[in-house]
Amino acid sequence: VAAIFSRSADTVFRQVVVGLVVGAGLFVVGWYYYALPSYTRVGYEPQQPVPFSHEQHVGQLGLDCTYCHTRVFDSPVAGVPPAQTCMNCHNKEKANVKGTSPYLQPVYASFKSGLPVEWKRVHKLPEYAYFNHAVHVNKGVSCAACHGPVNEMKVVRHDQLLTMGWCLKCHDNPTPHLRPVGEVTNLSWAPGAGRLREEIGAEVRKELQVKPPTHCQSCHR
Amino acid sequence: MTPREYWRSPDDQTGTPGAPPRDEFPGFANVFESLGEAEPADDDPHAAALSRRGFLTLSAAAGLAGLAGCRRPDLEILPFSAIPDEQVGHLAPGKPTFYATCLPRPGGALPVLVESHEGRPTKVEGNPAHPCSRGSTDAHAQASIYDLYSPDRVMSDRYPGVMERGLPRKWEDFDRFARHEADRLVKEKGKGFYVLAEDLGSPSVRLIRRHMKKAMPEAVWVTYEPCDTSEAQRGAEIAFGAKLAVRYRFDKADRILALDCDFLGHGPDAVANSRAFAAKRAANPMNRLYVVESTYSVTGTIADHRLKLASSQVGGFLVAVAKELTAHKDKLKHAGSLPGQLGSAAPAFVLPETWVKAVAKDLAEHAEKGLIVVGDRQPAWVHALAHALNDALGNTANVGFRDPPPEAAEEKAIGELARDMAAGKVNTLLVIGGNPVLNAPADLNFKAELQKVARKVRLGLYHDHTSEACDWHLPLAHPLESWGDAEAADGTLCCVQPLIAPLNGNRPIGTDPAAELAPPPRGGRSVLEVLTLMTQYALPEGATKANPATTSYVVAKGRAYELVRRAFAERSGIAVTDPNFATEFNRYKQLGFLPAEKDKSRKPKDPGEVKVNIDAVRKALAGQQPVPAPSKEAIEVGFYPSYSVLDGRFAMNPWMQEFPDPITKLVWDNAALVSPRTAAEFRVKTGDRVKLTVKGTVLDIPVFVLPGQADYTVALPFGQFGEMRISHVPDGGGFDVFPARKTDALHFATGCRLEPTGKSYDLVTTQEHGVIPEGRDIVREVNAGTVSRESKTSASHDGQGHGHGPVIGIPPDGHVTPGDLRKGFQGGYGNPPADRGPPEVKQRRFPLDLARPELLDSQFQWGMVIDLSACTGCSACVVACQAENNIPVVGKADVKRNREMHWIRIDRYFTGPAADDPQVVTQPLACVHCEQAPCEPVCPVNASVHSADGLNLQVYNRCIGTRYCSNNCPYKVRRFNWFDFNKRRPDELRVPTPFAREGMALQDTGVPETLKMQKNPDVTVRMRGVMEKCTYCVQRLERAKYGSKIAAAEVAQGRAVIETDAGFRPEGGSPSAYRKPKDPRAAGYDLDAQGRVIVPDGLVDVACAQACPTRAITFGNVLNPHSRVARLKQTEGEYLLLGELNTKPRTSYLPRVRNPNPELTG
């Protein structure tokens, strides 16, 4: 009987098997690198219509987060400021801080026309996830815990993963991420000399009864 | 004693001759989708011809196609350029705002609060401050939010806004026409100018009418409502000698005799009536309701005694009662008000003697604490007699009287208008709202006569039959889009304020700010705006002068607002120029109404002033001849407004079309209701089309067999168009019965004929959906006797088959009776209620979940109690849930396949010994949130899980649609998204594919953009293949929890200062930063005994409970001993539905308590 398979068939078969295993492995590795939020989200740094620098306004000038994001302590959404807020300073008639800067043209135009400045959205949770800013900041979770060191960012960058697993890490053990409520918007806050974040966090946790929920309804409705 | 039997339909009842054997699992076809009736028949036009194999092939292909991943698209955030002044400090994205306004409707507006998310109104709630609502609404108020966004109104391609003779026009074109027309009309003193309006009840419209009287004195105002109340008004006029608006105080009445009167189900005051009636129902002693009616009404379902009687015989019944009352003269207050001569109107049939005697005796014994109420359907003399009897019994103290507005006397009826049109007297006709071409009495030949009018202008919400017959169609602004006002049923002035600019489906956003000033080409205008134009209502002195650059639209809008201010000034007695005016007017807008004590011009009449003119009543009675009882040859036909589409004004609303009728559970259609005996005699069954001859008009309509309908009578719910006019909805639309409704028989017609035709029609009813199998203890009933429900002593078992479950009456020391199955299983809340001892001592809770108590460690343990003795089955909760939870409509074809998506349903059970005269129990049923939920262990992907708050959660993003959970749910409350109901139009759920004639749609064709605006942003819009169910409105619970925690934090951080309880020491817990407030409700939070932050009772409610007009549903934290729900959970008789399954539901029920007259039960 003539051989059905040639001598090389075994080799080809082995090569195919190895190739498939390697290919599948590459696919999985590639998937993990390219398809997960660590690649698709973290580092997202879109160019904004106005080159507003948080580094300058917060880091250097010391503006508090709530000067612009006014509703963060009582609303689910912190809010993006209206052009009106910018016009408190950048206004020819008022303080006239760079009152005619070409960079600020979209703000002037918005203030005049009533149409919004089209800011690019950086942080976005899936539609089925409901995050509440107010309850977090009122329980001693700093802005920096999710948004990173914004006071050092010239352009706002997506700093943290904001995936469910990432959220749950803190919800399982919030202690290291808590600080006194008064320091929540102080992005460069550090525990005093000789004290550990865990120590302070544990105190805050006890005092504010921090018991982060881990069941589905707290975020999915 | 045999247990009492409950059934849902005649077919379902055992022992009925010819009834098919019961299914082993009735109504479970939705679970076993491939079995039985749920599989569409081959000739069904909607049949999916796709085989299972074809489907799998297709899904594999679809799966591969989905592998194209990428980065997220760039999204924008659009903040305000400057926050509008009135919203500084209020507007917070992500937080809803509530505005007080009202929904005008004939007879009286419903005061409401409307929830608005970022400028989009999404949900209507009752106004808790107003006595006509007290926070409750009805189904129609809930559904009105859909009308606001209805694509047929704002973005239909067929009807582009303003139209003249079928051609699209702009508002400017109409403005030109109106200016020209108004000039001429003023010159001619309004000769030939007629306004035909629905009952607007608006004081600012009355200001315009006053102006019209001066500027165009010959103009005529005609008011028409299909739900005619003229007989009732005439009856009051006969009895009291003056036109009076009558309003009954059911919260004062211990004995109520309702004659053909659906005061809980229909009418402007149904919400207030329900609340008042339910309060008296829960009181000790309970009230007792006798209902005499021909078809089953919502009021009939809750009656203690119901007599089915043809409408034409009801007057005779009252005469018999009046005669019987003369035997009790000694107990009457004003025996002189009894009409002596009653002979001629005596009934022409044999009345149940015991009934009349018992009712009369009961009413006489409860003189001054009773009421006789007569429905609008009855002739004037019956009303007059009832007023006289109420006066004789001294019941007038329970009646409120008001003078009608003076303008009402000058209004003409539609009959006169039709005659004037025929005579050529009408040159210009402005039709405001309504739909007279459809629903005017058929003998007026309204549509034909209308063509004799030279200029016909129609202002209507939808482009309907009347718009088609008129020259101009003008889109009417929704009440939520316009300024206005209206009177509530009690006469208080309520404001109508816009929450959103008139919607305008095709206007590009953000192009030209100057476009703001231009009238939107499609957006509607209010009645006031159009009327000011048509009547040249001048801007009053001192009002803002119009800038010449602004358009007439802006001018009209400014005038409308000015009118609302002036109407308020007139009613409140504060002049517009008064320095206090702005404050008071703002207060009025904030509260939503002008409280009665501040109303200077319209006061309720003192009941002492109102005297019955007994001679006039006698005279009215004298002319009456006995009406022969209906027979097989001479059927009586009654016309009723539909519970779903009302008089047709909700026929364009898919929510109301898919709303299961509270009695028949029919959806998308209406039918002729007949009794089982009548059906048997004519050899017809549900769905058979019959020929119904009503005074020479022949209707071809299917019958629906309704137990409890009077024999030889047919009830015709009107309002359906007879065709489906909602775009993108393929089926339904029912049968138009208006052609048979004529001036001389607006409410019922005698001497009609019925003939079977042998044809049939596909009626879809949900009454057999989600049936809980036979023999289970589903509904419990108990008779009150002399013991109230709240009493500590046991109510006795009456031995008549009532309360067929375990003996009602639970010893105060334990939760359950010995022998009750629950005892072995139910941990329950086995503590005495809070009011029987200091809660801090007695309050203890068995572990809620015996298996894993550590999972339920939250301080919030939500629970619900549904009181069956308060539930009237009105189904406001169903639509409230639909609006709150983004529940789609599925269409008639899919309801037939048991695929309706309502999270809460009202099961309607017939019960009682007689199959054709049963009693009804209605039972609202949504997910009961079992602590040991059968759905949870069977989910392969953990999508059905439990929360620490005791909620049974459905996690949509985990769900893969195996439907195991639904199979395992004994309550049948889970709903599966068979299609992308939220993404596709109902007529595009199935489109042809290569595999099937009508397969599954693969492309999204999209739903209209405006419908997306209605969605509640706090609730996920579910997609195809996902299971869903009642969540206990978890979005509201979470909002309340966050709110309380934030309120507590604000106090702890010193950002808010309140009075706190310094002496409070938490039990076992270490001191925290939080302080216990003295007034938790005002503070917005409370601390429990352990010092944990909780939501004070009453600050959070679920949508169904909030809407419920009788407060049958109570929701709250069962762990909080001060909560209403925790107290109700301790009530005697509280039972768990299917508690014997050890599911430990969080929703429990209180039995239906009836208060029968011992003389009638024997």
Side-chain angles (χ1 to χ4, degrees):
Chain A
V1 181
I4 297 170
F5 296 104
S6 69
R7 274 183 172 279
S8 59
D10 272 3
T11 325
V12 171
F13 178 71
R14 281 187 205 107
Q15 282 166 346
V16 166
V17 168
V18 170
L20 279 178
V21 168
V22 170
L26 280 176
F27 181 78
V28 169
V29 170
W31 179 266
Y32 262 79
Y33 187 78
Y34 290 107
L36 293 191
S38 48
Y39 177 83
T40 57
R41 291 189 186 178
V42 174
Y44 178 57
E45 201 175 4
Q47 202 188 350
Q48 301 289 355
V50 180
F52 176 84
S53 166
H54 280 83
E55 192 251 341
Q56 187 186 14
H57 286 83
V58 185
Q60 296 175 22
L61 300 172
L63 245 59
D64 192 80
C65 305
T66 54
Y67 183 77
C68 299
H69 306 289
T70 47
R71 303 311 292 260
V72 72
F73 275 91
D74 68 347
S75 166
V77 180
V80 170
Q84 202 180 20
T85 307
C86 311
M87 295 300 279
N88 286 346
C89 302
H90 301 290
N91 190 334
K92 264 199 296 197
E93 275 94 57
K94 281 179 161 178
N96 197 13
V97 181
K98 309 228 160 160
T100 51
S101 163
Y103 290 122
L104 284 159
Q105 273 317 317
V107 174
Y108 303 142
S110 160
F111 190 64
K112 210 173 144 207
S113 69
L115 297 173
V117 179
E118 295 182 2
W119 297 100
K120 285 271 181 288
R121 184 166 191 170
V122 180
H123 300 92
K124 168 90 171 72
L125 295 184
E127 301 286 352
Y128 49 82
Y130 295 82
F131 177 81
N132 189 309
H133 277 83
V135 81
H136 284 86
V137 290
N138 275 305
K139 294 273 185 180
V141 180
S142 169
C143 312
C146 306
H147 296 289
V150 177
N151 56 338
E152 295 164 13
M153 293 181 192
K154 277 203 168 66
V155 179
V156 174
R157 183 178 70 243
H158 198 301
D159 190 72
Q160 297 289 324
L161 275 175
L162 305 192
T163 56
M164 187 166 125
W166 175 88
C167 291
L168 280 172
K169 250 190 233 164
C170 184
H171 272 234
D172 280 337
N173 178 26
T175 320
H177 305 279
L178 297 178
R179 56 176 75 174
V181 177
E183 303 294 338
V184 159
T185 57
N186 176 5
L187 301 186
S188 48
W189 176 84
R195 302 210 62 191
L196 294 171
R197 275 175 190 273
E198 268 81 1
E199 263 177 62
I200 295 176
E203 281 168 22
V204 172
R205 186 174 185 181
K206 201 169 164 193
E207 183 168 328
L208 298 181
Q209 302 178 347
V210 180
K211 201 175 78 181
T214 49
H215 48 252
C216 310
Q217 89 183 18
S218 20
C219 309
H220 304 298
R221 289 160 213 163
Chain B
M1 188 195 76
T2 50
R4 202 166 204 223
E5 203 184 351
Y6 293 86
W7 72 96
R8 293 179 173 225
S9 64
D11 288 353
D12 178 32
Q13 195 190 19
T14 46
T16 313
R22 285 190 180 190
D23 292 345
E24 191 182 358
F25 300 109
F28 274 41
N30 57 339
V31 179
F32 306 108
E33 186 64 22
S34 58
L35 302 173
E37 288 185 8
E39 189 76 351
D42 281 347
D43 55 349
D44 187 335
H46 306 288
L50 190 61
S51 67
R52 189 160 293 270
R53 181 174 295 227
F55 171 71
L56 287 174
T57 318
L58 214 58
S59 7
L64 286 173
L67 272 181
C70 53
R71 262 189 190 261
R72 286 173 301 129
D74 278 356
L75 297 167
E76 265 102 42
I77 294 179
L78 306 176
F80 270 111
S81 114
I83 294 178
D85 280 350
E86 70 271 19
Q87 293 192 340
V88 172
H90 297 288
L91 186 95
K95 256 176 133 177
T97 333
F98 291 84
Y99 291 88
T101 179
C102 75
L103 299 171
R105 44 174 73 179
L110 185 73
V112 294
L113 297 183
V114 182
E115 179 175 347
S116 171
H117 285 271
E118 285 94 45
R120 294 178 293 120
T122 57
K123 175 88 174 38
V124 172
E125 307 289 4
N127 187 343
H130 196 287
C132 280
S133 160
R134 300 234 236 134
S136 305
T137 49
D138 54 16
H140 295 110
Q142 294 291 344
S144 62
I145 198 87
Y146 185 97
D147 278 339
L148 172 65
Y149 295 112
S150 167
D152 291 302
R153 193 175 79 83
V154 292
M155 53 189 302
S156 154
D157 297 332
R158 279 159 71 201
Y159 306 119
V162 181
M163 288 171 89
E164 187 188 7
R165 293 198 180 80
L167 298 173
R169 288 282 184 267
K170 286 184 177 159
W171 272 108
E172 285 87 345
D173 300 322
F174 174 73
D175 291 344
R176 262 194 300 282
F177 166 81
R179 266 197 300 274
H180 179 75
E181 188 65 22
D183 280 344
R184 201 178 55 76
L185 286 173
V186 170
K187 231 175 271 167
E188 294 172 9
K189 300 266 176 244
K191 195 167 162 48
F193 180 41
Y194 282 63
V195 180
L196 169 59
E198 54 187 13
D199 181 6
L200 298 166
S202 159
S204 41
V205 169
R206 283 183 213 135
L207 286 183
I208 298 190
R209 286 180 60 186
R210 239 182 275 166
H211 159 76
M212 272 173 76
K213 222 172 140 184
K214 272 185 268 163
M216 27 183 97
E218 286 182 47
V220 177
W221 191 282
V222 184
T223 303
Y224 174 64
E225 280 296 339
C227 301
D228 177 68
T229 56
S230 58
E231 292 292 331
Q233 286 165 12
R234 263 195 328 117
E237 204 179 342
I238 293 170
F240 304 118
K243 280 193 196 300
L244 285 179
V246 181
R247 190 164 181 259
Y248 296 103
R249 301 284 310 274
F250 293 99
D251 53 343
K252 288 181 166 182
D254 280 339
R255 294 292 180 269
I256 301 163
L257 172 63
L259 299 168
D260 219 358
C261 180
D262 191 6
F263 62 92
L264 299 175
H266 270 307
D269 226 4
V271 171
N273 288 348
S274 301
R275 178 61 73 92
F277 175 79
K280 208 65 188 149
R281 199 93 188 131
N284 190 10
M286 242 174 119
N287 62 5
R288 182 176 294 154
L289 171 63
Y290 301 95
V291 170
V292 180
E293 60 182 7
S294 66
T295 188
Y296 236 120
S297 71
V298 160
T299 310
T301 65
I302 199 143
D304 296 303
H305 291 285
R306 178 180 177 274
L307 180 67
K308 53 172 189 159
L309 194 61
S311 292
S312 57
Q313 307 301 308
V314 167
F317 176 85
L318 189 60
V319 168
V321 171
K323 273 189 180 161
E324 192 59 37
L325 275 176
T326 49
H328 300 279
K329 262 196 173 145
D330 50 323
K331 299 193 187 101
L332 304 183
K333 292 289 140 187
H334 311 108
S337 293
L338 271 188
Q341 287 299 319
L342 291 159
S344 55
F349 63 103
V350 184
L351 274 172
E353 197 67 16
T354 46
W355 238 88
V356 177
K357 273 195 162 54
V359 169
K361 190 176 165 209
D362 208 10
L363 284 172
E365 277 172 359
H366 292 81
E368 292 184 271
K369 283 184 291 181
L371 268 180
I372 301 173
V373 291
V374 179
D376 295 336
R377 309 167 34 73
Q378 288 295 321
W381 69 270
V382 184
H383 287 269
L385 178 57
H387 289 309
L389 294 184
N390 271 334
D391 190 55
L393 288 162
N395 291 342
T396 29
N398 308 335
V399 186
F401 297 100
R402 270 185 303 120
D403 285 321
E407 282 80 3
E410 295 158 16
E411 281 160 14
K412 282 200 177 181
I414 195 166
E416 295 167 83
L417 170 68
R419 273 194 295 282
D420 288 353
M421 287 197 300
K425 287 187 195 163
V426 186
N427 298 328
T428 308
L429 179 68
L430 172 62
V431 186
I432 298 174
N435 191 359
V437 166
L438 174 80
N439 56 29
D443 54 323
L444 299 183
N445 217 356
F446 191 85
K447 192 176 176 183
E449 304 295 358
L450 189 62
Q451 297 317 313
K452 296 179 184 158
V453 180
R455 288 166 294 276
K456 308 173 282 288
V457 181
R458 171 85 200 299
L459 177 65
L461 210 53
Y462 291 97
H463 193 283
D464 55 17
H465 309 76
T466 308
S467 300
E468 281 161 13
C470 287
D471 306 328
W472 282 93
H473 165 72
L474 312 174
L476 175 67
H478 193 272
L480 298 179
E481 295 174 330
S482 52
W483 282 108
D485 53 15
E487 278 174 351
D490 66 349
T492 45
L493 175 71
C494 301
C495 76
V496 175
Q497 52 177 327
L499 273 85
I500 191 167
L503 278 175
N504 159 29
N506 54 5
R507 173 133 151 251
I509 299 162
T511 44
D512 178 15
E516 290 292 328
L517 296 174
R522 193 198 277 268
R525 287 198 196 175
S526 70
V527 175
L528 290 176
E529 284 160 23
V530 170
L531 268 180
T532 48
L533 257 178
M534 289 292 284
T535 61
Q536 291 198 329
Y537 183 84
L539 270 176
E541 295 294 316
T544 30
K545 272 271 172 275
N547 175 350
T550 53
T551 60
S552 67
Y553 169 66
V554 176
V555 177
K557 215 178 174 58
R559 277 183 201 160
Y561 182 62
E562 188 55 35
L563 271 163
V564 174
R565 278 160 49 94
R566 284 160 64 88
F568 171 76
E570 191 179 301
R571 290 290 287 264
S572 65
I574 306 168
V576 181
T577 46
D578 193 299
N580 284 333
F581 181 82
T583 321
E584 289 298 319
F585 187 61
N586 281 344
R587 199 165 284 160
Y588 162 65
K589 288 188 289 182
Q590 188 188 18
L591 192 61
F593 63 97
L594 180 69
E597 64 271 15
K598 288 189 178 176
D599 200 329
K600 293 283 182 291
S601 65
R602 295 199 64 200
K603 294 269 178 220
K605 269 187 124 62
D606 178 16
E609 288 174 38
V610 182
K611 293 270 179 289
V612 168
N613 180 353
I614 193 63
D615 294 330
V617 177
R618 284 202 188 109
K619 218 169 99 191
L621 280 171
Q624 297 310 318
Q625 293 302 317
V627 184
S631 61
K632 196 179 174 189
E633 290 71 38
I635 297 265
E636 180 190 301
V637 168
F639 298 96
Y640 297 82
S642 152
Y643 282 112
S644 52
V645 301
L646 221 57
D647 55 5
R649 69 186 68 207
F650 284 93
M652 293 297 282
N653 189 319
W655 286 3
M656 288 320 290
Q657 289 277 9
E658 198 161 294
F659 167 88
D661 182 283
I663 310 295
T664 62
K665 299 285 155 194
L666 278 175
V667 294
W668 293 97
D669 280 309
N670 57 345
L673 315 181
V674 296
S675 75
R677 197 173 138 201
T678 314
E681 283 198 21
F682 285 98
R683 297 180 185 218
V684 290
K685 55 183 195 306
T686 296
D688 286 353
R689 292 177 87 131
V690 293
K691 217 172 96 182
L692 198 57
T693 316
V694 186
K695 307 238 170 195
T697 310
V698 179
L699 289 178
D700 179 14
I701 187 166
V703 298
F704 183 89
V705 180
L706 177 68
Q709 174 84 21
D711 291 330
Y712 307 121
T713 67
V714 175
L716 293 179
F718 57 75
Q720 289 285 8
F721 290 167
E723 56 177 330
M724 182 38 70
R725 282 179 161 244
I726 308 173
S727 55
H728 315 301
V729 173
D731 327 87
F735 296 83
D736 179 12
V737 303
F738 285 115
R741 198 170 180 242
K742 291 171 192 160
T743 312
D744 58 343
L746 273 180
H747 300 297
F748 51 86
T750 49
C752 308
R753 272 183 300 119
L754 189 149
E755 295 157 62
T757 60
K759 290 182 288 177
S760 70
Y761 180 82
D762 209 4
L763 286 175
V764 173
T765 159
T766 64
Q767 71 181 354
E768 306 283 353
H769 291 188
V771 172
I772 297 170
E774 231 348 81
R776 296 282 173 84
D777 175 18
I778 301 166
V779 178
R780 289 192 189 174
E781 283 188 55
V782 62
N783 282 353
T786 52
V787 181
S788 95
R789 203 171 52 211
E790 306 275 351
S791 165
K792 286 174 202 169
T793 48
S794 312
S796 62
H797 203 52
D798 68 84
Q800 298 160 28
H802 289 85
H804 74 301
V807 177
I808 306 292
I810 291 158
D813 54 340
H815 189 57
V816 287
T817 17
D820 190 322
L821 271 173
R822 285 188 291 161
K823 195 175 183 184
F825 300 113
Q826 170 60 24
Y829 317 99
N831 43 329
D835 51 357
R836 289 185 197 172
E840 52 277 13
V841 181
K842 298 271 177 129
Q843 180 62 26
R844 70 198 153 78
R845 181 166 60 83
F846 290 113
L848 290 167
D849 185 341
L850 298 180
R852 305 179 71 186
E854 74 279 5
L855 289 182
L856 293 171
D857 63 344
S858 162
Q859 64 265 46
F860 305 97
Q861 296 297 332
W862 306 111
M864 185 186 276
V865 175
I866 299 179
D867 185 353
L868 296 185
S869 33
C871 177
T872 62
C874 75
S875 306
C877 49
V878 175
V879 192
C881 177
Q882 187 156 23
E884 171 73 19
N885 290 307
N886 300 339
I887 293 169
V889 293
V890 302
K892 184 179 165 185
D894 280 289
V895 179
K896 192 186 174 197
R897 295 176 172 89
N898 299 16
R899 289 172 180 177
E900 70 271 19
M901 298 300 291
H902 295 142
W903 284 359
I904 184 166
R905 66 171 193 262
I906 313 277
D907 286 338
R908 187 265 293 111
Y909 294 97
F910 291 114
T911 178
D916 56 352
D917 189 14
Q919 288 182 309
V920 162
V921 184
T922 50
Q923 183 180 43
L925 183 57
C927 175
V928 292
H929 291 268
C930 312
E931 280 162 16
Q932 302 226 63
C935 51
E936 288 171 17
V938 296
C939 180
V941 292
N942 231 9
S944 182
V945 288
H946 226 77
S947 86
D949 297 353
L951 303 186
N952 169 246
L953 309 173
Q954 180 67 17
V955 189
Y956 308 128
N957 39 323
R958 280 182 183 167
C959 179
I960 56 168
T962 63
R963 313 196 316 269
Y964 293 164
C965 51
S966 181
N967 283 5
N968 218 30
C969 174
Y971 305 93
K972 298 297 149 214
V973 289
R974 290 180 157 260
R975 301 284 176 265
F976 186 65
N977 285 276
W978 290 93
F979 291 96
D980 262 330
F981 295 117
N982 273 314
K983 263 191 189 169
R984 297 203 180 88
R985 300 160 178 169
D987 64 339
E988 285 177 341
L989 294 172
R990 305 167 174 82
V991 296
T993 66
F995 295 91
R997 179 165 47 87
E998 284 192 321
M1000 311 259 182
L1002 288 176
Q1003 287 101 34
D1004 295 342
T1005 46
V1007 296
E1009 288 296 314
T1010 50
L1011 287 186
K1012 297 179 185 167
M1013 292 175 71
Q1014 185 277 324
K1015 302 285 184 217
N1016 183 348
D1018 292 336
V1019 177
T1020 306
V1021 174
R1022 285 81 56 186
M1023 65 175 291
R1024 183 179 62 190
V1026 169
M1027 189 61 79
E1028 61 184 66
K1029 60 156 195 89
C1030 163
T1031 61
Y1032 269 175
C1033 287
V1034 63
Q1035 68 282 2
R1036 292 182 172 211
L1037 306 184
E1038 292 299 303
R1039 195 197 291 160
K1041 280 160 70 176
Y1042 293 147
S1044 288
K1045 286 177 180 175
I1046 292 162
E1050 283 183 342
V1051 172
Q1053 294 155 27
R1055 283 189 280 139
V1057 181
I1058 58 161
E1059 230 181 300
T1060 56
D1061 179 2
F1064 173 74
R1065 293 281 171 279
E1067 208 175 88
S1070 59
S1072 71
Y1074 303 122
R1075 305 277 159 262
K1076 190 174 173 73
K1078 280 238 163 86
D1079 181 359
R1081 284 182 65 110
Y1085 75 98
D1086 198 3
L1087 300 187
D1088 69 359
Q1090 284 82 46
R1092 299 177 295 187
V1093 177
I1094 57 170
V1095 183
D1097 191 46
L1099 284 196
V1100 61
D1101 216 345
V1102 288
C1104 51
Q1106 192 167 5
C1108 181
T1110 58
R1111 294 195 82 192
I1113 306 176
T1114 307
F1115 180 84
N1117 185 356
V1118 295
L1119 209 51
N1120 178 358
H1122 305 289
S1123 69
R1124 187 163 173 255
V1125 71
R1127 284 163 194 243
L1128 284 175
K1129 289 254 182 206
Q1130 317 300 335
T1131 321
E1132 295 172 1
E1134 177 244 1
Y1135 73 99
L1136 303 174
L1137 185 58
L1138 304 186
E1140 68 272 24
L1141 299 180
N1142 193 24
T1143 51
K1144 298 179 186 168
R1146 273 289 167 88
T1147 300
S1148 56
Y1149 289 84
L1150 298 179
R1152 156 106 9 151
V1153 184
R1154 293 193 200 268
N1155 185 15
N1157 187 341
E1159 291 183 22
L1160 280 176
T1161 49

